Amino acid sequence: MKIAVGCDHAGFPLKETVVEKIKEMGHEVLDCGTNSPERVDYPDYAFKAAGLVAEGKADRAVLICGSGIGMCISANKIKGIRACVCHDAYSAAQGVQHDNLNVLCLGARVIGPSTAQSVLENFLNASFLTGTRHEERLGKVLQAEAKNFK
């Protein structure tokens, strides 16, 4: 799979661990920055990485900021993106299996490298459970997204 990775300055210290794990698992990394600890605005990187998923240029994305929340909120503004903050392995796998999660958001100030690797591994190894009640539920979410609820 092609995995887009984006982070802000707070997520930068965890980015290298995430990129190494993705490559170790045999996936391609599309690095969307940032590439230093200099202050930047998280939406810029969330939009860039999640945008690649929405455009079909990446299969999934991983976004990292201090808490994961800012990245998550930003990514979910893009049509077709289902982003969630996950700081445990179960939620990362279940999010993909039940909700077709396509963007994992991590908080570098919340979890450490070993937990991030475990969460990432579960996120990348999971598949959406097609043909189940979860597919019907996702359909309802996609219908609401299409209406834009203006």
Side-chain angles (χ1 to χ4, degrees):
M1 286 191 290
K2 290 183 181 180
I3 312 300
V5 177
C7 70
D8 69 358
H9 56 282
F12 180 71
L14 187 58
K15 180 182 169 189
E16 184 177 334
T17 298
V18 166
V19 167
E20 286 176 9
K21 183 65 176 176
I22 292 169
K23 289 178 179 178
E24 176 187 305
M25 293 178 69
H27 304 294
E28 181 181 344
V29 173
L30 304 175
D31 190 339
C32 297
T34 192
N35 296 308
S36 81
E38 297 296 317
R39 193 201 73 76
V40 295
D41 296 329
Y42 61 82
D44 299 335
Y45 299 92
F47 297 151
K48 188 173 181 181
L52 290 175
V53 176
E55 294 168 0
K57 295 177 181 174
D59 300 294
R60 295 186 188 169
V62 179
L63 301 174
I64 315 160
C65 65
S67 66
I69 296 169
M71 287 289 201
C72 184
I73 291 169
S74 298
N76 278 314
K77 299 300 179 188
I78 299 173
K79 187 173 183 174
I81 296 301
R82 291 169 303 281
C84 190
V85 176
C86 297
H87 291 144
D88 65 89
Y90 171 79
S91 296
Q94 187 269 340
V96 174
Q97 294 166 345
H98 292 196
D99 306 303
N100 209 9
L101 174 69
N102 56 12
V103 176
L104 173 66
C105 301
L106 300 172
R109 295 176 177 158
V110 180
I111 60 172
S114 63
T115 300
Q117 289 175 339
S118 174
V119 171
L120 180 61
E121 190 171 338
N122 279 270
F123 170 67
L124 295 178
N125 284 335
S127 299
F128 182 60
L129 300 174
T130 57
T132 66
R133 66 186 185 277
H134 305 295
E135 195 166 29
E136 184 178 330
R137 292 171 181 163
L138 178 60
K140 291 180 180 185
V141 171
L142 297 176
Q143 285 177 350
E145 180 181 68
K147 291 179 186 177
N148 283 327
F149 278 108
K150 292 184 178 182

